[in-house]
Amino acid sequence: AQSVTQLGSHVSVSEGALVLLRCNYSSSVPPYLFWYVQYPNQGLQLLLKYTSAATLVKGINGFEAEFKKSETSFHLTKPSAHMSDAAEYFCAVTNNNDMRFGAGTRLTVKP
Amino acid sequence: DAGVTQSPTHLIKTRGQQVTLRCSPKSGHDTVSWYQQALGQGPQFIFQYYEEEERQRGNFPDRFSGHQFPNYSSELNVNALLLGDSALYLCASSLELAGTGNEQFFGPGTRLTVL
């Protein structure tokens, strides 16, 4: 069975500060990993995905994530937070059929 | 290029009723998945349809059923509604290609409220 665990249901940062959202995965086979963002009353938008090509994955809006097999982690980072980054972020893993999501991390950006 | 569309946007039903939600996949996509997202939680996988058949199912009761049409659009039906079925129902579409990680594109969702 595959699953992801997001550490921290809420993260608060100041505008311009580093954003770090944590995700650990469990999978019996090499995983496909994703980060999605959800703004209020909207669906999910893909930020980036890992499909075994490169361990450092760059996504939209300045986000990136690094796949670390030894730590079973896929943490999401952004060097400088912007007010528009405030949203709910979900880490997900798939085996090409169903996609399993974490519980989500709500990011708050303070001015 | 239209993305994934869902209808209706909002729906209010009472306990015991039945509901049908609809989804049109992104152009060129052939696989549709449905998710339930309760308030404050991550999406939970309900089932996936490919070639008009249910290919995989999550841990949901038989009250949840679906259908995929030849044009790849899909319906989610929920019978005997319970208060706990109140949630945002998300449809996602993807293209069946091995090795791509099957990136899923999500619709805006249907907000179902059961009173």
Short mmCIF file of all heavy atoms in Angstrom, two decimals, chain B residues 61-103:
data_model
loop_
_atom_site.label_atom_id
_atom_site.label_comp_id
_atom_site.label_asym_id
_atom_site.label_seq_id
_atom_site.Cartn_x
_atom_site.Cartn_y
_atom_site.Cartn_z
N PRO B 61 -18.60 2.61 0.15
CA PRO B 61 -19.67 1.61 0.05
C PRO B 61 -20.30 1.59 -1.34
O PRO B 61 -20.11 2.50 -2.15
CB PRO B 61 -20.68 2.07 1.12
CG PRO B 61 -20.43 3.54 1.25
CD PRO B 61 -18.96 3.73 1.05
N ASP B 62 -21.10 0.55 -1.55
CA ASP B 62 -21.76 0.37 -2.85
C ASP B 62 -22.77 1.46 -3.17
O ASP B 62 -23.25 1.53 -4.31
CB ASP B 62 -22.45 -1.00 -2.89
CG ASP B 62 -21.45 -2.13 -2.90
OD1 ASP B 62 -20.26 -1.85 -3.18
OD2 ASP B 62 -21.83 -3.27 -2.62
N ARG B 63 -23.12 2.28 -2.16
CA ARG B 63 -24.02 3.41 -2.43
C ARG B 63 -23.40 4.37 -3.45
O ARG B 63 -24.10 5.13 -4.09
CB ARG B 63 -24.30 4.20 -1.14
CG ARG B 63 -25.01 3.43 -0.06
CD ARG B 63 -25.38 4.35 1.10
NE ARG B 63 -24.23 4.96 1.76
CZ ARG B 63 -23.91 6.26 1.66
NH1 ARG B 63 -24.64 7.08 0.91
NH2 ARG B 63 -22.85 6.73 2.31
N PHE B 64 -22.09 4.31 -3.55
CA PHE B 64 -21.37 5.13 -4.51
C PHE B 64 -21.15 4.30 -5.78
O PHE B 64 -20.53 3.23 -5.73
CB PHE B 64 -20.02 5.58 -3.95
CG PHE B 64 -20.12 6.58 -2.84
CD1 PHE B 64 -20.47 6.19 -1.57
CD2 PHE B 64 -19.86 7.92 -3.09
CE1 PHE B 64 -20.58 7.12 -0.54
CE2 PHE B 64 -19.96 8.86 -2.07
CZ PHE B 64 -20.31 8.46 -0.79
N SER B 65 -21.68 4.78 -6.88
CA SER B 65 -21.50 4.08 -8.14
C SER B 65 -21.21 5.11 -9.23
O SER B 65 -21.42 6.31 -9.05
CB SER B 65 -22.75 3.28 -8.50
OG SER B 65 -23.85 4.14 -8.69
N GLY B 66 -20.75 4.62 -10.35
CA GLY B 66 -20.40 5.54 -11.41
C GLY B 66 -20.62 4.97 -12.79
O GLY B 66 -21.05 3.81 -12.95
N HIS B 67 -20.31 5.79 -13.74
CA HIS B 67 -20.45 5.37 -15.13
C HIS B 67 -19.53 6.24 -15.98
O HIS B 67 -19.31 7.42 -15.67
CB HIS B 67 -21.90 5.56 -15.59
CG HIS B 67 -22.18 4.95 -16.93
ND1 HIS B 67 -22.36 3.60 -17.10
CD2 HIS B 67 -22.31 5.52 -18.15
CE1 HIS B 67 -22.59 3.36 -18.39
NE2 HIS B 67 -22.56 4.51 -19.03
N GLN B 68 -18.98 5.62 -17.04
CA GLN B 68 -18.23 6.39 -18.02
C GLN B 68 -18.85 6.16 -19.39
O GLN B 68 -19.15 5.02 -19.74
CB GLN B 68 -16.75 6.01 -18.04
CG GLN B 68 -15.93 6.92 -18.97
CD GLN B 68 -14.45 6.56 -19.00
OE1 GLN B 68 -14.08 5.40 -18.88
NE2 GLN B 68 -13.61 7.58 -19.14
N PHE B 69 -19.02 7.21 -20.12
CA PHE B 69 -19.68 7.15 -21.43
C PHE B 69 -18.63 7.04 -22.54
O PHE B 69 -17.46 7.31 -22.31
CB PHE B 69 -20.55 8.39 -21.60
CG PHE B 69 -21.64 8.49 -20.57
CD1 PHE B 69 -21.44 9.22 -19.41
CD2 PHE B 69 -22.84 7.82 -20.74
CE1 PHE B 69 -22.44 9.31 -18.45
CE2 PHE B 69 -23.83 7.91 -19.78
CZ PHE B 69 -23.62 8.65 -18.64
N PRO B 70 -19.08 6.68 -23.75
CA PRO B 70 -18.13 6.54 -24.86
C PRO B 70 -17.33 7.80 -25.15
O PRO B 70 -16.22 7.72 -25.68
CB PRO B 70 -19.03 6.16 -26.04
CG PRO B 70 -20.18 5.47 -25.42
CD PRO B 70 -20.43 6.19 -24.12
N ASN B 71 -17.86 8.97 -24.81
CA ASN B 71 -17.10 10.22 -25.03
C ASN B 71 -16.19 10.55 -23.85
O ASN B 71 -15.64 11.64 -23.78
CB ASN B 71 -18.05 11.38 -25.30
CG ASN B 71 -18.89 11.74 -24.08
OD1 ASN B 71 -18.87 11.03 -23.07
ND2 ASN B 71 -19.62 12.83 -24.18
N TYR B 72 -16.01 9.60 -22.94
CA TYR B 72 -15.13 9.66 -21.77
C TYR B 72 -15.70 10.48 -20.61
O TYR B 72 -15.10 10.48 -19.53
CB TYR B 72 -13.73 10.17 -22.11
CG TYR B 72 -13.08 9.42 -23.24
CD1 TYR B 72 -12.73 10.06 -24.43
CD2 TYR B 72 -12.82 8.06 -23.12
CE1 TYR B 72 -12.14 9.37 -25.46
CE2 TYR B 72 -12.24 7.36 -24.17
CZ TYR B 72 -11.90 8.02 -25.33
OH TYR B 72 -11.32 7.33 -26.37
N SER B 73 -16.83 11.15 -20.79
CA SER B 73 -17.42 11.85 -19.66
C SER B 73 -17.89 10.83 -18.63
O SER B 73 -18.00 9.62 -18.93
CB SER B 73 -18.57 12.74 -20.11
OG SER B 73 -19.64 11.94 -20.60
N SER B 74 -18.17 11.31 -17.43
CA SER B 74 -18.47 10.37 -16.35
C SER B 74 -19.52 10.93 -15.42
O SER B 74 -19.73 12.15 -15.34
CB SER B 74 -17.19 10.07 -15.58
OG SER B 74 -17.43 9.22 -14.47
N GLU B 75 -20.20 10.03 -14.75
CA GLU B 75 -21.15 10.40 -13.69
C GLU B 75 -20.80 9.67 -12.41
O GLU B 75 -20.31 8.53 -12.44
CB GLU B 75 -22.58 10.00 -14.10
CG GLU B 75 -23.18 10.85 -15.19
CD GLU B 75 -24.62 10.45 -15.51
OE1 GLU B 75 -25.06 9.41 -15.03
OE2 GLU B 75 -25.27 11.19 -16.25
N LEU B 76 -21.06 10.34 -11.30
CA LEU B 76 -20.96 9.74 -9.98
C LEU B 76 -22.36 9.76 -9.38
O LEU B 76 -23.00 10.81 -9.33
CB LEU B 76 -19.99 10.54 -9.10
CG LEU B 76 -20.04 10.28 -7.59
CD1 LEU B 76 -19.62 8.85 -7.28
CD2 LEU B 76 -19.16 11.27 -6.84
N ASN B 77 -22.84 8.61 -8.96
CA ASN B 77 -24.14 8.50 -8.33
C ASN B 77 -23.97 8.09 -6.87
O ASN B 77 -23.16 7.21 -6.56
CB ASN B 77 -24.99 7.44 -9.03
CG ASN B 77 -25.21 7.78 -10.49
OD1 ASN B 77 -25.90 8.74 -10.83
ND2 ASN B 77 -24.61 7.00 -11.37
N VAL B 78 -24.71 8.75 -6.01
CA VAL B 78 -24.71 8.37 -4.60
C VAL B 78 -26.16 8.15 -4.18
O VAL B 78 -27.00 9.06 -4.32
CB VAL B 78 -24.06 9.44 -3.70
CG1 VAL B 78 -23.94 8.91 -2.27
CG2 VAL B 78 -22.69 9.84 -4.23
N ASN B 79 -26.46 6.95 -3.69
CA ASN B 79 -27.80 6.61 -3.23
C ASN B 79 -27.90 6.71 -1.71
O ASN B 79 -26.89 6.68 -1.00
CB ASN B 79 -28.14 5.18 -3.65
CG ASN B 79 -28.24 5.03 -5.15
OD1 ASN B 79 -28.73 5.91 -5.84
ND2 ASN B 79 -27.74 3.91 -5.66
N ALA B 80 -29.15 6.84 -1.24
CA ALA B 80 -29.42 6.83 0.21
C ALA B 80 -28.47 7.77 0.95
O ALA B 80 -27.72 7.34 1.85
CB ALA B 80 -29.32 5.40 0.75
N LEU B 81 -28.49 9.02 0.59
CA LEU B 81 -27.55 10.00 1.11
C LEU B 81 -27.58 10.06 2.64
O LEU B 81 -28.64 10.01 3.27
CB LEU B 81 -27.85 11.38 0.54
CG LEU B 81 -27.41 11.60 -0.91
CD1 LEU B 81 -28.02 12.87 -1.47
CD2 LEU B 81 -25.89 11.64 -1.01
N LEU B 82 -26.38 10.19 3.20
CA LEU B 82 -26.19 10.37 4.64
C LEU B 82 -25.61 11.76 4.88
O LEU B 82 -25.01 12.36 3.99
CB LEU B 82 -25.23 9.31 5.18
CG LEU B 82 -25.60 7.85 4.94
CD1 LEU B 82 -24.45 6.95 5.41
CD2 LEU B 82 -26.89 7.51 5.65
N LEU B 83 -25.77 12.24 6.11
CA LEU B 83 -25.20 13.54 6.45
C LEU B 83 -23.70 13.57 6.18
O LEU B 83 -23.15 14.58 5.73
CB LEU B 83 -25.48 13.88 7.92
CG LEU B 83 -26.94 14.09 8.32
CD1 LEU B 83 -27.02 14.40 9.82
CD2 LEU B 83 -27.58 15.20 7.52
N GLY B 84 -23.05 12.44 6.43
CA GLY B 84 -21.60 12.34 6.25
C GLY B 84 -21.14 12.38 4.81
O GLY B 84 -19.94 12.43 4.54
N ASP B 85 -22.09 12.35 3.87
CA ASP B 85 -21.71 12.44 2.45
C ASP B 85 -21.49 13.89 2.04
O ASP B 85 -21.06 14.15 0.90
CB ASP B 85 -22.80 11.82 1.57
CG ASP B 85 -22.95 10.33 1.79
OD1 ASP B 85 -21.95 9.68 2.17
OD2 ASP B 85 -24.07 9.80 1.60
N SER B 86 -21.80 14.82 2.91
CA SER B 86 -21.56 16.23 2.61
C SER B 86 -20.07 16.45 2.40
O SER B 86 -19.26 16.15 3.29
CB SER B 86 -22.06 17.11 3.75
OG SER B 86 -23.46 17.02 3.88
N ALA B 87 -19.71 16.97 1.24
CA ALA B 87 -18.29 17.12 0.90
C ALA B 87 -18.17 17.82 -0.44
O ALA B 87 -19.16 18.06 -1.13
CB ALA B 87 -17.60 15.77 0.84
N LEU B 88 -16.92 18.11 -0.80
CA LEU B 88 -16.60 18.57 -2.15
C LEU B 88 -16.22 17.33 -2.95
O LEU B 88 -15.34 16.58 -2.54
CB LEU B 88 -15.43 19.55 -2.11
CG LEU B 88 -14.99 20.14 -3.45
CD1 LEU B 88 -16.05 21.05 -4.04
CD2 LEU B 88 -13.66 20.90 -3.28
N TYR B 89 -16.88 17.11 -4.06
CA TYR B 89 -16.58 15.96 -4.91
C TYR B 89 -15.79 16.44 -6.12
O TYR B 89 -16.25 17.28 -6.89
CB TYR B 89 -17.87 15.25 -5.33
CG TYR B 89 -18.47 14.51 -4.17
CD1 TYR B 89 -19.30 15.16 -3.25
CD2 TYR B 89 -18.17 13.17 -3.93
CE1 TYR B 89 -19.82 14.50 -2.15
CE2 TYR B 89 -18.68 12.49 -2.85
CZ TYR B 89 -19.50 13.16 -1.96
OH TYR B 89 -20.00 12.50 -0.86
N LEU B 90 -14.60 15.89 -6.23
CA LEU B 90 -13.67 16.30 -7.27
C LEU B 90 -13.56 15.22 -8.34
O LEU B 90 -13.47 14.03 -8.04
CB LEU B 90 -12.29 16.56 -6.68
CG LEU B 90 -12.19 17.72 -5.69
CD1 LEU B 90 -10.88 17.65 -4.93
CD2 LEU B 90 -12.31 19.04 -6.41
N CYS B 91 -13.55 15.67 -9.57
CA CYS B 91 -13.31 14.80 -10.70
C CYS B 91 -11.94 15.14 -11.25
O CYS B 91 -11.55 16.32 -11.31
CB CYS B 91 -14.38 15.02 -11.76
SG CYS B 91 -14.08 14.22 -13.34
N ALA B 92 -11.19 14.13 -11.64
CA ALA B 92 -9.88 14.34 -12.24
C ALA B 92 -9.76 13.49 -13.49
O ALA B 92 -10.24 12.35 -13.53
CB ALA B 92 -8.78 13.97 -11.26
N SER B 93 -9.14 14.04 -14.52
CA SER B 93 -8.94 13.25 -15.73
C SER B 93 -7.46 13.11 -16.02
O SER B 93 -6.63 13.91 -15.59
CB SER B 93 -9.67 13.89 -16.92
OG SER B 93 -9.02 15.08 -17.36
N SER B 94 -7.14 12.05 -16.76
CA SER B 94 -5.76 11.78 -17.13
C SER B 94 -5.73 10.96 -18.40
O SER B 94 -6.77 10.49 -18.88
CB SER B 94 -5.03 11.02 -16.01
OG SER B 94 -5.72 9.83 -15.68
N LEU B 95 -4.52 10.82 -18.95
CA LEU B 95 -4.34 10.05 -20.17
C LEU B 95 -3.59 8.78 -19.82
O LEU B 95 -2.56 8.83 -19.13
CB LEU B 95 -3.57 10.88 -21.19
CG LEU B 95 -3.32 10.24 -22.56
CD1 LEU B 95 -4.64 9.93 -23.25
CD2 LEU B 95 -2.48 11.16 -23.42
N GLU B 96 -4.09 7.65 -20.27
CA GLU B 96 -3.51 6.37 -19.96
C GLU B 96 -2.23 6.13 -20.76
O GLU B 96 -2.25 5.63 -21.87
CB GLU B 96 -4.53 5.25 -20.26
CG GLU B 96 -4.02 3.85 -19.99
CD GLU B 96 -3.79 3.57 -18.52
OE1 GLU B 96 -4.21 4.37 -17.68
OE2 GLU B 96 -3.19 2.53 -18.22
N LEU B 97 -1.10 6.54 -20.16
CA LEU B 97 0.19 6.32 -20.80
C LEU B 97 1.14 5.76 -19.75
O LEU B 97 1.37 6.38 -18.73
CB LEU B 97 0.77 7.62 -21.37
CG LEU B 97 0.17 8.16 -22.66
CD1 LEU B 97 0.80 9.51 -22.99
CD2 LEU B 97 0.44 7.19 -23.81
N ALA B 98 1.72 4.64 -20.00
CA ALA B 98 2.59 4.03 -19.00
C ALA B 98 3.83 4.88 -18.80
O ALA B 98 4.39 5.43 -19.74
CB ALA B 98 3.01 2.63 -19.48
N GLY B 99 4.26 4.97 -17.56
CA GLY B 99 5.51 5.64 -17.24
C GLY B 99 5.42 7.13 -17.08
O GLY B 99 6.41 7.78 -16.79
N THR B 100 4.25 7.72 -17.23
CA THR B 100 4.15 9.18 -17.11
C THR B 100 3.73 9.61 -15.72
O THR B 100 3.67 10.79 -15.45
CB THR B 100 3.12 9.74 -18.10
OG1 THR B 100 1.82 9.25 -17.74
CG2 THR B 100 3.46 9.32 -19.51
N GLY B 101 3.42 8.65 -14.87
CA GLY B 101 2.89 9.01 -13.57
C GLY B 101 1.46 9.44 -13.65
O GLY B 101 0.88 9.87 -12.66
N ASN B 102 0.87 9.35 -14.86
CA ASN B 102 -0.55 9.66 -15.02
C ASN B 102 -0.97 10.91 -14.27
O ASN B 102 -1.80 10.86 -13.36
CB ASN B 102 -1.41 8.46 -14.60
CG ASN B 102 -1.43 7.40 -15.67
OD1 ASN B 102 -0.62 7.43 -16.58
ND2 ASN B 102 -2.35 6.47 -15.56
N GLU B 103 -0.37 12.03 -14.63
CA GLU B 103 -0.73 13.31 -14.02
C GLU B 103 -2.22 13.52 -14.16
O GLU B 103 -2.78 13.36 -15.25
CB GLU B 103 0.02 14.44 -14.71
CG GLU B 103 -0.38 15.82 -14.22
CD GLU B 103 0.36 16.91 -15.00
OE1 GLU B 103 1.42 16.61 -15.57
OE2 GLU B 103 -0.15 18.03 -15.04
#
